[in-house]
Amino acid sequence: MTQRRKRWGRRGVVAAVVAGALLAPMAGPALAEEGPAPVRSLDRAAHPLRSTEPGRNNADLRALGGMIGGAKVVGLGEATHGSHEFFTMKERVFRYLVEEKGFRAFALELSWSAGLEIDEYVQGGKGDAREIARRTLAGSPWDREEFVSLIRWMREYNRAHPGRTVHFVGDDLGAPSVNDAFFARITDYVRQHHPAELPRLNRLYTGLRPIDDAFVYLRKPLDERLRLATQAEQAYELIKGLRGAEARDWAEQHARFVAQTARFLAVDLADPQGLPTAQILRDRAMAENVAWWQRRTGHRILLSAHNGHVSYVTDNPAMYPKTQGAFLRETLGRDYLPIGFSFDRGSFLSKDKALEGDWKRFSVPAAPSGSNEHTLDQVRFEDFYLDVRTAPPSARAWLDTARPTRTIGTQFPVDLASISLGRSYDVVIHLHDVRQADLRR
């Protein structure tokens, strides 16, 4: 790609089973050249970003606030699971939405139980941000300094605004573990308010409580896992049928999470349809949990997940039949708005094998000609965002066409996927370059 100077210079100083989107390699789509017309049209739609770092002047985010409008849930994706700029931009956007647009919750594709632990800390609980991150994010790509910064900011914001606190939500299934202390949130409620039902609840959770290690749990015979999943669902129905107010609502949601997790872990992965079945269970569960929080609290939520989860459409229907974003659009309608991330070059964290080994640094050069990223990187701004819904006709036609795109999850290398940006997202943020996220100190 020919190098050129853009209007905003180089940044310089501005810079587990369910531990992220498991994006399997697939046959890469053919690359094709693009003419200059889409770039001129994209130029007219683009709004420059002056920084991806939080704590800066937010004047450049005002247009983004207008694009978001009154959406109740905003899905903010990431094109990799471990790039500094994606993570810091999430904190920057969340701060802006909290301070200027009344948002109250940050949701992450992290287990519901771990999210509760983080939320208790940001509400003023004991501990410190790094210790909380180590305990709840270990083994995930979010066990990084950027998320320590986010957690610390949320706690400080709550200290300064005790009457209007923000919350941390984990919307994902319970891997790698669901400990006994979490199950006690359910059984203690029943013990206190409906003691006659406690023996039955304990019987239903026998053999399931706790899930110390999801990988060990998956070694149980399939028949046993299916039986335990049914029991977990019966426990959920038991709680759902009890009379009560606020405390029962939370116990019901906790029991739903256990049932979601048990059903996910009961999938027969030896069956060719096992992985697609597991993925649709997971994305449906994540959408259900976000929608529950939004309905129960009334909070506007910034939802953080991989691009492949927040998008309206899947880039690999055979392996990932339906996205979290598609489920949320069905549930919330236009109250759900997805934002996709794109980047031209740089480094990130991934693994050699999705379910094995440690997160480590990988890098890619400038995007190849014919890819979405190559054309976006020719826009005159180094970093920018645009509303695909209101883009000029030439830009909209280009955005609506599927073409090769990077989508890097828990395994690398991975082939480019065929993605239509205009059909996947309402807003796209493009960054010229990124670097790997910072190890937690």
Side-chain angles (χ1 to χ4, degrees):
M1 173 177 148
T2 304
Q3 299 297 311
R4 70 195 187 289
R5 187 179 300 278
K6 294 190 177 185
R7 180 170 298 182
W8 304 111
R10 296 298 296 268
R11 276 187 293 275
V13 297
V14 181
V17 173
V18 290
L22 177 55
L23 300 173
M26 53 189 289
L31 298 170
E33 293 291 335
E34 288 287 351
V39 176
R40 290 195 296 270
S41 188
L42 290 166
D43 269 345
R44 295 196 298 275
H47 296 264
L49 275 172
R50 296 180 182 271
S51 176
T52 58
E53 297 295 316
R56 308 298 174 93
N57 184 294
N58 285 330
D60 58 331
L61 296 182
R62 288 174 186 159
L64 181 64
M67 295 171 190
I68 289 170
K72 295 177 180 177
V73 177
V74 173
L76 183 52
E78 51 199 40
T80 76
H81 265 326
S83 293
H84 171 82
E85 289 77 8
F86 296 153
F87 291 173
T88 56
M89 189 65 184
K90 292 188 182 205
E91 180 179 344
R92 185 174 186 229
V93 171
F94 183 59
R95 289 196 196 188
Y96 169 75
L97 293 177
V98 168
E99 294 168 346
E100 301 295 334
K101 299 296 179 181
F103 277 59
R104 296 281 302 279
F106 182 94
L108 179 65
E109 52 175 310
L110 178 74
S111 74
W112 176 265
S113 52
L116 291 174
E117 289 189 54
I118 297 174
D119 191 53
E120 287 167 356
Y121 172 75
V122 302
Q123 302 308 316
K126 295 180 181 179
D128 64 78
R130 283 200 175 87
E131 188 275 330
I132 292 295
R134 179 198 60 75
R135 189 170 73 240
T136 58
L137 303 177
S140 80
W142 308 291
D143 186 15
R144 296 294 181 270
E145 277 297 302
E146 292 85 356
F147 273 85
V148 173
S149 172
L150 171 65
I151 292 169
R152 182 179 290 125
W153 179 83
M154 292 176 72
R155 182 178 171 96
E156 290 303 315
Y157 179 89
N158 288 345
R159 183 174 294 157
H161 303 83
R164 194 180 180 284
T165 59
V166 295
H167 293 265
F168 195 105
V169 182
D171 62 51
D172 211 337
L173 302 168
S177 66
V178 183
N179 62 28
D180 201 58
F182 180 83
F183 278 90
R185 293 175 185 264
I186 307 168
T187 56
D188 286 354
Y189 165 78
V190 174
R191 179 180 294 107
Q192 182 178 354
H193 297 281
H194 303 276
E197 300 292 346
L198 184 61
R200 182 183 173 210
L201 182 63
N202 283 332
R203 286 195 300 272
L204 291 172
Y205 280 154
T206 297
L208 180 66
R209 171 185 183 176
I211 302 172
D212 290 321
D213 186 323
F215 292 99
V216 173
Y217 185 93
L218 285 168
R219 298 190 195 118
K220 294 178 183 286
L222 178 61
D223 287 348
E224 182 180 355
R225 286 184 279 131
L226 288 168
R227 174 178 59 78
L228 291 172
T230 298
Q231 290 178 198
E233 289 163 348
Q234 290 170 345
Y236 167 61
E237 292 298 329
L238 186 159
I239 303 296
K240 188 176 179 181
L242 299 176
R243 290 183 299 173
E246 181 173 355
R248 191 207 62 86
D249 290 348
W250 286 94
E252 178 185 330
Q253 172 58 20
H254 299 335
R256 184 211 301 265
F257 161 73
V258 171
Q260 291 168 339
T261 299
R263 183 55 62 188
F264 176 81
L265 294 176
V267 171
D268 182 4
L269 295 179
D271 184 334
Q273 290 302 308
L275 185 55
T277 298
Q279 293 296 343
I280 202 167
L281 285 171
R282 183 183 173 213
D283 275 67
R284 179 188 290 117
M286 292 194 294
E288 287 174 348
N289 295 335
V290 168
W292 182 89
W293 186 286
Q294 201 288 314
R295 287 194 307 266
R296 180 63 184 76
T297 65
H299 295 164
R300 300 181 75 185
I301 302 169
L302 181 68
L303 164 63
S304 171
H306 194 276
N307 280 350
H309 290 303
V310 304
S311 64
Y312 287 132
V313 296
T314 176
D315 58 60
N316 187 354
M319 194 68 69
Y320 304 93
K322 191 170 182 178
T323 66
Q324 181 183 17
F327 283 113
L328 285 170
R329 171 47 70 94
E330 287 180 355
T331 302
L332 300 175
R334 296 191 179 278
D335 284 332
Y336 175 68
L337 181 144
I339 302 174
F341 260 115
S342 165
F343 76 108
D344 181 62
R345 67 190 73 192
S347 60
F348 49 88
L349 300 170
S350 191
K351 296 182 179 184
D352 295 311
K353 295 183 179 180
L355 301 182
E356 300 177 21
D358 297 324
W359 295 89
K360 66 180 186 179
R361 181 185 184 276
F362 294 89
S363 63
V364 290
S369 179
S371 65
N372 276 319
E373 296 89 347
H374 176 265
T375 299
L376 290 174
D377 208 59
Q378 295 177 61
V379 170
R380 67 186 187 275
F381 306 122
E382 180 143 307
D383 298 337
F384 64 90
Y385 57 91
L386 59 87
D387 189 329
V388 303
R389 301 164 299 180
T390 60
S394 175
R396 181 71 209 204
W398 181 87
L399 289 162
D400 281 347
T401 301
R403 53 179 50 79
T405 309
R406 289 191 182 120
T407 177
I408 301 167
T410 57
Q411 182 174 326
F412 190 80
V414 63
D415 290 334
L416 301 180
S418 182
I419 294 175
S420 161
L421 298 176
R423 300 184 189 280
S424 298
Y425 315 107
D426 288 335
V427 176
V428 171
I429 300 174
H430 178 76
L431 306 180
H432 176 62
D433 60 1
V434 299
R435 67 172 177 83
Q436 74 274 18
D438 296 326
L439 287 170
R440 175 175 48 80
R441 294 191 288 271

